[in-house]
């Protein structure tokens, strides 16, 4: 039984990580084609650092992801607090409405945002990408915060008010710390959704600005450049290290406590 | 406090969107081209020589490019679509009639055979300037087949079961069957289409896979013996694997052309003309040919290629006049498009 379990788990991991493994191996391949091993090389990593176009796209991607996640978290938190204070029926209705964009196909969201921006006469560029990313991020943030909200004990907030705190102080000192885990996971969720997005960005971006996903996709016709393998490898390893660090810290805290 | 919020939001929106200010007064040209389809050095040279800043943007397929242009999402000046898409854009009145007196290099450097070929989608040569072109043909591995391939019909030979790679796109797949029967690849005749579909269904059991850009890698790796491929890719695959041979089948094939066009409501028309003219200059066209490796219609640039083998390569520069059955795709209209897509679905699900 134990061996069966182990085989099953390793199979799952194999399916999950084999594609990424292939990509990492290819990033060290001196030959440009995937079906020929041209020897080990670091040249793609070197040329990556000199490729301004790719680095520009990377900066844009990270900036958009960070800003949109941050702004969406703020708006989403405010929305969640407000929704919590509503009557049951209006609340369910509102939650339903905010859930629709998540179920909606990306291409519909993308095209409708594009048409909206055209009709109000916005100029396509960094701003329109950011606006649309904030838009599709908000539902995810609300989704992460609402369950946390329900676990809150309303008496604590009321107690703070009784003890003389203003609404604002009570919110920042009492409510917000309790909500923080939800907000954080909402932020991370929004950040990854934004990093991931291709189709909405494609429709709302202007000339001369690219995120990594749109940049990679334009290379399809001529074959993807190995520099992209190198970059993806770096991103993967960074995320892996970050995950290890995040998962390690709670243990230490508990021990010191 | 309550009044402040909308004001702040409005201000933020304006900042983000640049308040919709237009760019027509700036000295720039906005180019929308295929990914990896120009040598970045030539863009820098253009900026240096003319002082016009190039805002460069890329697309991946004609189909994703089209809605952005049609809706006027971004104000592009110069675009580089393919043949059938150009005819669609002409039909929908999106393109500007070119003033060739401002683009002298186009008429003097680009070979007459390419202008003739362009007439299939731009009947009076009024809207487009050819930039890259190529053919679709059969790539085969000499060590894996025992006879030279010369015909589309050989792709139906059962001895090549599981060795054939077909292109995974409606028009390219139908083209193979249509040309085998000697039909036009722009046919809309229901009987001809039905026959082409039946042929493709009959061929399906011996086809290894319908693929797009994997043809290149699979052929280099020897994972298949025969593949339908674009000539520009064929040169690269031969460079990686010397056993590969490319032929234009005797029944004729598709000649595709990607051409520069200027949009009707381009905000910087003069700069756009200058840009196209610059791209047609022989030294620039040569630089781009070396970077992209797709065939250039620029005869003056071709004369500058130092390597005899490439200059006389029958793959990169086949003599179009020696075939009388070459065609280019044209836009067939919405109805015919739908018919093609329906039949294609039937083939794929068979």
């Amino acid at each position: 039984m134990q061996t069966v379990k182990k085989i099953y788990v390793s199979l799952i991991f194999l399916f999950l990580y084999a594609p990424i493994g292939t990509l990492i191996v290819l990033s060290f391949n001196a030959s440009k084609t995937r079906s020929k091993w041209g020897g080990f090389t670091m040249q793609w990593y070197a040329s990556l650092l000199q490729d301004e176009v790719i680095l520009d796209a990377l900066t844009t991607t990270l900036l958009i992801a960070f800003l949109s996640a941050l702004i969406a978290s703020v708006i989403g938190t405010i929305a969640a607090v407000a929704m919590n204070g509503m009557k049951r029926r209006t609340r369910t209705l509102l939650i339903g409405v905010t859930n629709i964009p998540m179920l909606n196909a990306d291409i519909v969201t993308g095209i409708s945002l594009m048409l909206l921006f055209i009709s109000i006469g916005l100029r396509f560029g960094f701003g329109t990408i950011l606006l649309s990313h904030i838009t599709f991020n908000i539902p995810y943030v609300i989704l992460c915060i609402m369950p946390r909200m329900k676990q809150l004990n309303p008496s604590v907030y009321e107690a703070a008010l009784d003890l003389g705190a203003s609404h604002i102080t009570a919110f920042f000192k009492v409510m917000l710390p309790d909500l923080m885990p939800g907000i954080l996971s909402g932020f991370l969720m929004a950040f990854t959704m934004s990093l991931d997005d291709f189709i909405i960005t494609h429709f709302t971006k202007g000339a001369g600005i690219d995120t990594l996903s749109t940049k990679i996709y334009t290379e399809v016709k001529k074959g993807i450049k190995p520099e992209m393998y190198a970059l993806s490898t770096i991103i993967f390893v960074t995320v892996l290290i970050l995950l290890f660090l995040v998962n390690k810290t709670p243990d230490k805290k508990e021990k010191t406590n | 406090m309550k009044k402040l919020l909308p004001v702040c939001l409005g201000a933020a929106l304006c900042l983000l969107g640049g308040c919709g200010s237009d760019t027509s007064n700036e000295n720039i040209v906005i180019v929308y081209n295929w990914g990896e389809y120009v040598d970045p050095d030539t863009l820098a040279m253009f900026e240096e020589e003319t002082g016009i800043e190039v805002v460069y943007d890329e697309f991946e397929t004609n189909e994703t490019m089209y809605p952005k242009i049609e809706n006027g999402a971004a104000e592009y000046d110069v675009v580089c679509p393919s043949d059938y898409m150009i005819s669609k854009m002409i039909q929908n009145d999106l393109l500007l009639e070119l003033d060739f007196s401002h683009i002298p290099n186009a008429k003097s450097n680009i070979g007459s055979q390419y202008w003739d070929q362009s007439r299939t989608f731009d009947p009076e040569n009024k809207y487009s300037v050819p930039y890259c072109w190529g053919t679709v043909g059969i790539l085969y591995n000499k060590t894996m087949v025992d006879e030279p391939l010369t015909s589309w019909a050989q792709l139906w030979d059962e001895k090549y079961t599981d060795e054939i790679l077909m292109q995974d796109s409606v028009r390219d797949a139908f083209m193979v069957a249509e040309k085998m029967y000697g039909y036009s690849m722009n046919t809309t005749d229901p009987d001809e289409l039905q026959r082409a579909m039946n042929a493709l269904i009959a061929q399906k059991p011996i086809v290894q896979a319908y693929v797009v850009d994997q043809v290149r890698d699979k052929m280099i790796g020897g994972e298949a013996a025969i593949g339908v491929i674009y000539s520009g890719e064929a040169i690269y695959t031969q460079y990686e694997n010397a056993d590969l041979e490319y032929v234009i089948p005797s029944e004729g094939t598709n000649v595709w052309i990607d051409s520069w066009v200027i949009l009707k409501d381009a905000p910087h028309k003069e700069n756009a003309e200058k840009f196209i003219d610059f791209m047609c200059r022989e030294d620039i066209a040569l630089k781009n040919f070396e970077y992209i490796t797709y065939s250039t219609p620029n005869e003056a640039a071709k004369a500058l290629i130092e390597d005899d083998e490439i200059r006389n390569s029958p793959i990169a520069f086949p003599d179009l006049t020696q075939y009388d059955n070459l065609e280019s795709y044209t836009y067939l209209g919405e109805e015919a498009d739908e018919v093609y897509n329906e039949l294609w679905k039937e083939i794929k699900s068979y």
Side-chain angles (χ1 to χ4, degrees), chain B residues 232-299:
Chain B
E233 311 274 309
I235 299 171
Y236 165 68
T237 56
Q238 279 183 324
Y239 181 71
E240 294 282 340
N241 183 344
D243 290 333
L244 299 175
E245 186 74 60
Y246 177 82
V247 287
I248 296 176
S250 55
E251 298 104 325
T253 188
N254 167 24
V255 173
W256 57 266
I257 301 181
D258 292 339
S259 303
W260 295 116
V261 296
I262 300 181
L263 296 178
K264 189 152 230 173
D265 20 86
H268 318 92
K269 294 193 174 98
E270 273 173 39
N271 291 352
E273 286 168 342
K274 280 186 199 156
F275 181 80
I276 296 181
D277 192 49
F278 185 80
M279 284 292 147
C280 292
R281 216 172 77 188
E282 54 270 27
D283 56 325
I284 303 301
L286 176 69
K287 258 178 117 43
N288 278 326
F289 168 73
E290 282 165 354
Y291 185 86
I292 313 169
T293 70
Y294 280 18
S295 317
T296 173
N298 198 312
E299 295 287 358

Side-chain angles (χ1 to χ4, degrees), chain A residues 32-36 114 118 121-124 127 131 202 205-208 215 217-218 220-223 225, chain B residues 16-17 20-21 23 30 34-36 56-58 60 64 68 71 73 76 216-218 221 223 240 258 292:
Chain A
K32 274 192 174 188
T33 157
R34 71 164 166 80
S35 49
K36 226 171 88 181
M114 175 179 85
I118 291 174
L122 282 186
R123 185 157 146 207
F124 283 73
L131 279 179
H202 171 81
K205 83 188 186 66
K215 182 74 207 148
Y217 207 64
T218 56
V220 166
K221 178 168 172 161
K222 296 274 297 162
K225 290 202 282 185
Chain B
L16 282 168
S21 67
T23 59
I30 310 176
W34 293 89
E36 290 294 301
Y56 191 71
D57 202 12
E58 297 170 322
E60 47 289 336
T64 49
K68 293 201 79 172
N71 292 307
Y76 296 107
R216 189 176 41 213
D217 285 330
K218 285 194 170 218
E223 291 170 46
E240 294 282 340
D258 292 339
I292 313 169

Side-chain angles (χ1 to χ4, degrees), chain B residues 58-244:
Chain B
E58 297 170 322
F59 58 86
E60 47 289 336
T61 63
N62 286 303
E63 284 65 31
T64 49
M65 172 272 295
Y66 186 75
K68 293 201 79 172
I69 300 285
E70 194 195 19
N71 292 307
E75 340 159 89
Y76 296 107
D77 297 307
V78 186
V79 191
C80 183
S82 308
D83 30 50
Y84 70 97
M85 192 46 83
I86 293 176
S87 74
K88 182 175 181 178
M89 291 168 95
I90 293 174
Q91 279 176 38
N92 290 330
D93 199 23
L94 291 170
L95 301 185
L96 181 79
E97 251 181 67
L98 299 178
D99 180 352
F100 283 96
S101 63
H102 294 157
I103 317 175
N105 285 333
K107 286 288 182 194
S108 63
N109 287 351
I110 287 167
S112 61
Q113 51 176 340
Y114 308 106
W115 291 110
D116 290 341
Q117 194 65 39
S118 294
R119 285 179 199 278
T120 36
F121 53 86
D122 180 6
E124 292 166 63
N125 287 136
K126 277 199 304 199
Y127 298 97
S128 62
V129 177
Y131 176 56
C132 280
W133 69 282
T135 55
V136 179
I138 302 175
L139 185 74
Y140 65 94
N141 191 322
K142 282 182 279 188
T143 60
M144 294 165 81
V145 299
D146 45 15
E147 54 181 344
L149 296 180
T150 54
S151 151
W152 290 122
Q154 282 168 298
L155 298 186
W156 270 259
D157 193 331
E158 276 177 18
K159 69 181 165 193
Y160 300 127
T161 300
D162 265 347
E163 293 290 355
I164 298 171
L165 297 173
M166 289 285 284
Q167 283 285 329
D168 189 10
S169 83
V170 203
R171 297 293 296 270
D172 286 333
F174 267 91
M175 184 274 291
V176 172
E178 285 162 355
K179 275 289 162 192
M180 180 180 71
Y181 286 131
Y183 304 150
S184 160
M185 65 174 85
N186 295 314
T187 183
T188 50
D189 181 284
D191 294 335
E192 294 185 355
L193 284 177
Q194 196 64 37
R195 232 182 126 201
M197 180 188 80
N198 289 338
L200 288 173
I201 289 177
Q203 184 208 23
K204 223 183 154 186
I206 66 169
V207 171
Q208 184 191 89
Y210 281 97
V211 285
V212 191
D213 54 339
Q214 297 100 306
V215 180
R216 189 176 41 213
D217 285 330
K218 285 194 170 218
M219 290 302 293
I220 293 172
E223 291 170 46
I226 302 168
V228 176
I229 200 169
Y230 283 75
S231 56
E233 311 274 309
I235 299 171
Y236 165 68
T237 56
Q238 279 183 324
Y239 181 71
E240 294 282 340
N241 183 344
D243 290 333
L244 299 175

Side-chain angles (χ1 to χ4, degrees), chain B residues 302-319:
Chain B
K302 187 185 157 194
L304 291 178
I305 299 174
E306 280 174 13
D307 190 339
D308 283 342
E309 226 168 276
I310 296 175
R311 182 153 27 90
N312 300 321
S313 155
I315 304 174
F317 301 104
D319 180 11

